[in-house]
């Protein structure tokens, strides 16, 4: 029972954000309609404008990584590959068999993916991928508390 309590506190920050994400719009794409597209007035590339809750989610993932070095989330790609997830479709990935470490690696993959592809997190949120990760994490926690 004590192990379950420790695990629950490990995920508290993330699980609080899960509630905040319910009903959140996550963000929107901003398209530059003010500039002309000339050399003197170039058009800016579209970019996602995230809500405060999404920024809290991103920070919670980084906080988890920092506070749980045993998960080695800086090696998220290797963790996912080791578990058979080497070609990930973020809209359709099945998380139902993942353990908590793999779930956290996937969440880190989503956060880090944003650095390489604007809107990566927005796509995952709108597809329900992050929400499925939270659901799976709660299932894992419930099984550890029994």
């Amino acid at each position: 029972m004590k192990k379950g309590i420790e695990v629950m506190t490990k995920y508290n920050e993330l699980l609080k954000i899960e509630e905040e994400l319910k009903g959140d719009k996550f963000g929107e794409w901003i398209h530059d309609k003010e500039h002309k597209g000339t050399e003197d007035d170039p058009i800016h590339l579209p970019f996602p404008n995230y809500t405060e809750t999404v920024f809290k989610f991103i920070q919670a993932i980084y906080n988890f990584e920092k506070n749980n070095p045993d998960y080695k989330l800086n090696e998220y790609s290797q963790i996912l590959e080791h578990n058979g997830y080497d070609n990930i479709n973020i809209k359709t990935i099945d998380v139902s068999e993942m353990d908590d470490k793999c779930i956290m690696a996937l969440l880190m993959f989503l956060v880090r993916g944003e650095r390489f592809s604007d809107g990566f997190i927005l796509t995952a949120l709108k597809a329900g991928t992050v929400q499925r990760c939270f659901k799976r994490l709660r299932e894992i926690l419930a099984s550890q508390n029994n």
Side-chain angles (χ1 to χ4, degrees), residues 10 13-15 17 21 50-68 73 104 107-108 110-112 121 134:
K10 183 187 301 188
E13 183 180 7
L14 270 175
L15 295 177
I17 291 167
L21 284 172
Y50 289 114
T51 63
E52 183 180 328
T53 304
V54 174
F55 285 116
K56 283 184 189 178
F57 164 72
I58 293 166
Q59 188 58 53
I61 296 298
Y62 283 122
N63 289 345
F64 186 91
E65 176 192 27
K66 183 177 114 186
N67 295 328
N68 299 281
L73 291 183
M104 293 308 302
L107 291 172
M108 180 59 81
L110 297 175
V111 169
R112 297 293 295 165
I121 295 172
F134 281 132

Side-chain angles (χ1 to χ4, degrees), residues 82-112:
H82 177 75
N83 285 278
Y85 299 96
D86 49 353
N87 189 12
I88 296 174
N89 180 329
I90 63 169
K91 292 180 180 179
T92 61
I93 188 167
D94 180 8
V95 301
S96 63
E97 299 296 320
M98 288 185 176
D99 64 9
D100 60 330
K101 185 174 181 178
C102 196
I103 289 288
M104 293 308 302
L106 178 59
L107 291 172
M108 180 59 81
F109 169 78
L110 297 175
V111 169
R112 297 293 295 165

Side-chain angles (χ1 to χ4, degrees), residues 30-46:
I30 304 297
H31 297 275
D32 184 358
K33 295 178 181 169
E34 297 176 19
H35 298 90
K36 297 176 185 171
T38 64
E39 190 174 324
D40 294 335
D41 191 20
I43 293 176
H44 298 225
L45 292 174

